[in-house]
Amino acid sequence: MDIEKEVENVNDVRTCNYNSLAMLSREEVAKLCLCHKDTVSMWIGLGMLQATKTSRGYAISQKELERFQEAYKGQDISNPVHAKEAFINMNKR
């Protein structure tokens, strides 16, 4: 590989958009989903929403939130009973 290509590749890495890598907090997910942060915790606890436990709480990737929204679109996941039913039905597919 010639040196000009290497420099070009390094510059691509430096200018890449890191916004897509940003993780969301429980509070941010709650705000985006128009619900309480405890509801987000319930989804995480049931295994519906995958999160990474950090020293400051939970971190949820934007891709995971998009997957969650698509998977549970149109379903009632507002309380533990309905959320668990939706989760069970989702895993039957």
Side-chain angles (χ1 to χ4, degrees):
M1 180 181 269
D2 80 325
I3 193 70
E4 288 177 13
K5 278 281 191 204
E6 287 182 36
V7 169
E8 188 177 300
N9 289 342
V10 169
N11 287 334
D12 287 345
V13 170
R14 288 184 187 153
T15 59
C16 86
N17 183 358
Y18 287 101
N19 288 337
S20 64
L21 299 176
M23 300 289 274
L24 302 168
S25 69
R26 211 172 39 129
E27 292 78 9
E28 290 168 325
V29 170
K31 192 172 189 177
L32 289 168
C33 293
L34 305 174
C35 67
H36 194 273
K37 65 182 181 179
D38 291 344
T39 303
V40 176
S41 294
M42 174 191 64
W43 296 334
I44 292 168
L46 289 171
M48 298 170 70
L49 182 64
Q50 300 298 308
T52 302
K53 180 79 169 122
T54 68
S55 61
R56 295 182 181 197
Y58 288 104
I60 299 102
S61 74
Q62 294 175 43
K63 280 189 173 188
E64 173 57 15
L65 181 57
E66 289 172 10
R67 183 210 61 81
F68 172 81
Q69 289 174 321
E70 187 63 32
Y72 295 100
K73 183 178 3 181
Q75 298 186 50
D76 182 357
I77 54 173
S78 60
N79 65 53
V81 173
H82 292 137
K84 191 170 186 177
E85 287 173 3
F87 181 68
I88 290 168
N89 289 334
M90 185 63 56
N91 288 319
K92 284 183 182 177
R93 295 182 195 181

